Amino acid sequence: MPLTPARTMPGVMELLPLDQIAFQRLLDTIRANFERFGFLPIETPVMEYADVLLTKQGGETERQVYFVQSTGALEQGGKPELALRFDLTVPLARYVAEHEHELAFPFRRYQIQRVYRGERAQRGRFREFYQCDIDVIGKDQLSVRYDAEMPAVIHSVFEELNIGPFTIWLNNRKLMRGFFEGLGIADAEQQALVLREVDKLDKRGADYVRDTLMGEGFGLSAEAVARILDFVQIRSRGHGDAIARLDALGRGSATFDAGVAELRQVLELVRAFGVPETHYAINLSIARGLDYYTGTVYETTLNEHPQIGSICSGGRYDNLAANYTKSHLPGVGISIGATRLFWQLREAGLLPAAQSTVKALVTQMDEANLPQYLDLAGQLRRAGIATEVVLEAGKLARQFKYADRAGIRFVLVLGPDELARGTVTVKDLRKQEQFEVARAELVKTLRVELEQAEAMPA
């Protein structure tokens, strides 16, 4: 019988152990910062009822969704009842609507789980990937002050990840909507189409956007397009400059003025949250989907690696669960695409090499002394030092080679001489040094070595 080729489908990230450790630490850092700001964890099923998941019919999302069907249903030719979630926002909406009377509002949740999309197979695009989301959901109303908390969380996460200088860009949908209304672009659908093109400004340049907006399908005047391009290229440098640029916009429609006022308030509170002004700025080109976001919007980029694109984005929305409940549930949230972020950082060489979580390997010199080896390992584990024991006898050189290949730093030898003297021989594979230490001092010695290694900059 021929062997089945061992292979994974395109669009998934499968890692070797040391890379998996690095990825897990990225997730742990994100999780720790979410919890530090008072967000509570939830998980939702990987599958949802298709009619719940696809409340908006048609569009790109439905073309990318993976439907789920049991073999029994396939045999009966039934229509798929279930589908894999394509983001964490729609499941959150269903969750809040279903548990509305059991939750405390404002409801502050974080969620770190895989999502699934039928992406076209290409480098850096994933069909299965982790999203890390936080949202604050209000009942009937939610202060704009929560909008300012999101950049504080973003700053905390990426400062601890230590992947280089970054900027949190802010804009407001009301400001943009009011600006378009002032140009005579009042229809919401037309505004969304214009914004979709504006969103391509950084990737394709001003000439492309100008030609598109003046071309067939839009037909905007040269004057209107010039005003749009001037508007969306507004960027700030420093807090004072951001406030000055908002003031320079002047007055407009009620919608426009409300957007300016909200963005100014958010900027003042972002500073009050302690975010350095070098890390946030206004960027009036951010689109983020006019049909979903209604107020403040965010995108975060690495200053020295703009080609990576946004590493965290989100914004304010008016009514999270309008499709599932009559209650008014406004909210604000951000999302980090952790799988894509990790892949991009690794490709750019911005991630330090991960070390094995196993810190010590107890070798086996004589099978008769296995209880001694197990006791030594237990001593280290009780002290919080992850330890592996060689359980099958073999040449000592092979055991050292295994430790080196597995990334285990300390190799411990407990031979007849060491047993007689009450000592342990320690080989530090990282420093290529060997020393003998009293067994009673082993834990203290290894702790010192490990603490010094952790204190050193990556």
Side-chain angles (χ1 to χ4, degrees):
M1 183 176 178
L3 294 174
T4 300
R7 66 192 191 277
T8 57
M9 73 174 192
V12 297
M13 185 175 74
E14 190 172 72
L15 303 171
L16 292 174
L18 292 185
D19 282 332
Q20 188 66 46
I21 290 169
F23 181 61
Q24 192 60 52
R25 285 181 175 165
L26 181 143
L27 294 182
D28 290 344
T29 299
I30 295 170
R31 180 183 293 105
N33 280 279
F34 287 173
E35 291 181 347
R36 198 169 294 153
F37 277 80
F39 290 86
L40 299 173
I42 70 165
E43 287 196 355
T44 58
V46 67
M47 294 177 286
E48 297 275 356
Y49 285 111
D51 60 344
V52 171
L53 199 62
L54 299 170
T55 49
K56 292 184 178 181
Q57 296 299 313
E60 187 64 25
T61 296
E62 186 170 354
R63 288 195 292 270
Q64 291 183 346
V65 76
Y66 283 109
F67 289 96
V68 180
Q69 205 166 18
S70 69
T71 52
L74 280 172
E75 291 170 359
Q76 296 169 16
K79 184 180 179 181
E81 184 183 22
L82 303 173
L84 299 180
R85 60 180 174 228
F86 50 80
D87 68 7
L88 298 179
T89 302
V90 175
L92 171 64
R94 190 270 307 155
Y95 181 96
V96 174
E98 189 170 349
H99 300 286
E100 179 182 345
H101 301 295
E102 304 162 76
L103 298 173
F105 289 93
F107 176 51
R108 302 167 62 88
R109 85 80 162 93
Y110 79 82
Q111 193 170 352
I112 300 176
Q113 288 187 277
R114 288 184 175 98
V115 299
Y116 299 86
R117 293 182 191 172
E119 291 276 9
R120 182 168 56 88
Q122 56 182 305
R123 187 173 173 81
R125 304 293 294 182
F126 294 95
R127 293 173 174 175
E128 176 190 67
F129 55 96
Y130 273 93
Q131 277 191 194
C132 308
D133 288 14
I134 56 171
D135 287 84
V136 183
I137 310 300
K139 187 74 174 288
D140 299 322
Q141 61 182 9
L142 186 71
S143 169
V144 74
R145 294 173 180 175
Y146 290 98
D147 295 21
E149 187 179 26
M150 294 296 147
V153 180
I154 296 171
H155 175 260
S156 182
V157 168
F158 289 104
E159 274 289 289
E160 187 169 343
L161 286 177
N162 193 29
I163 54 177
F166 58 91
T167 300
I168 305 163
W169 302 101
L170 296 96
N171 195 7
N172 189 288
R173 284 288 146 257
K174 293 177 184 175
L175 189 159
M176 298 194 77
R177 193 164 68 245
F179 174 76
F180 283 122
E181 288 170 357
L183 292 177
I185 308 171
D187 180 70
E189 187 174 339
Q190 188 182 13
Q191 289 180 1
L193 292 173
V194 172
L195 280 173
R196 192 174 301 165
E197 298 306 317
V198 165
D199 206 31
K200 300 173 184 176
L201 182 65
D202 290 336
K203 290 182 179 179
R204 302 210 178 177
D207 289 341
Y208 171 86
V209 175
R210 182 184 297 107
D211 293 343
T212 302
L213 294 181
M214 292 177 61
E216 188 176 349
F218 290 95
L220 298 180
S221 69
E223 180 186 356
V225 172
R227 289 183 62 187
I228 290 172
L229 289 176
D230 287 343
F231 178 81
V232 300
Q233 292 186 77
I234 292 175
R235 310 282 190 278
S236 66
R237 295 173 65 90
H239 183 85
D241 183 49
I243 298 299
R245 288 180 182 274
L246 289 181
D247 290 341
L249 293 175
R251 299 295 299 273
S253 68
T255 303
F256 181 86
D257 292 346
V260 171
E262 284 185 7
L263 190 50
R264 181 184 286 109
Q265 183 179 356
V266 168
L267 288 168
E268 296 290 4
L269 287 172
V270 167
R271 182 168 64 171
F273 267 106
V275 180
E277 63 179 80
T278 52
H279 284 71
Y280 65 92
I282 60 172
N283 178 343
L284 301 192
S285 73
I286 297 173
R288 304 277 344 130
L290 188 67
D291 60 337
Y292 181 68
Y293 294 110
T294 55
T296 312
V297 285
Y298 324 91
E299 283 192 358
T300 307
T301 56
L302 294 176
N303 298 355
E304 296 171 1
H305 301 272
Q307 76 283 358
I308 289 178
S310 178
I311 57 175
C312 178
S313 59
R316 161 70 71 129
Y317 40 86
D318 273 340
N319 196 358
L320 174 76
N323 291 302
Y324 315 114
T325 176
K326 293 181 179 179
S327 298
H328 182 61
L329 301 171
V332 61
I334 56 171
S335 179
I336 302 171
T339 301
R340 180 179 177 274
L341 174 62
F342 179 82
W343 187 88
Q344 294 272 29
L345 294 176
R346 190 174 61 165
E347 288 290 297
L350 298 177
L351 289 176
Q355 304 296 325
S356 173
T357 51
V358 181
K359 302 305 179 185
L361 176 73
V362 179
T363 58
Q364 183 174 152
M365 295 282 288
D366 184 344
E367 194 169 302
N369 291 324
L370 182 59
Q372 293 271 14
Y373 308 143
L374 296 176
D375 182 64
L376 178 62
Q379 177 188 352
L380 295 173
R381 289 167 183 154
R382 287 189 294 274
I385 300 173
T387 304
E388 180 183 346
V389 182
V390 176
L391 295 176
E392 293 184 278
K395 292 181 179 180
L396 195 58
R398 183 174 295 175
Q399 297 177 46
F400 272 82
K401 185 177 181 180
Y402 166 79
D404 185 50
R405 187 168 186 179
I408 302 172
R409 178 176 175 181
F410 296 106
V411 181
L412 311 182
V413 179
L414 199 60
D417 292 341
E418 286 86 1
L419 286 169
R421 292 193 294 266
T423 62
V424 180
T425 296
V426 179
K427 178 68 178 288
D428 186 337
L429 297 182
R430 187 179 303 174
K431 293 183 177 180
Q432 288 299 304
E433 297 175 355
Q434 182 171 307
F435 56 90
E436 193 170 350
V437 62
R439 181 162 173 173
E441 296 294 317
L442 177 62
V443 167
K444 180 180 178 181
T445 301
L446 291 185
R447 275 181 171 167
V448 169
E449 293 288 339
L450 290 169
E451 286 170 5
Q452 288 177 348
E454 290 175 1
M456 292 176 63

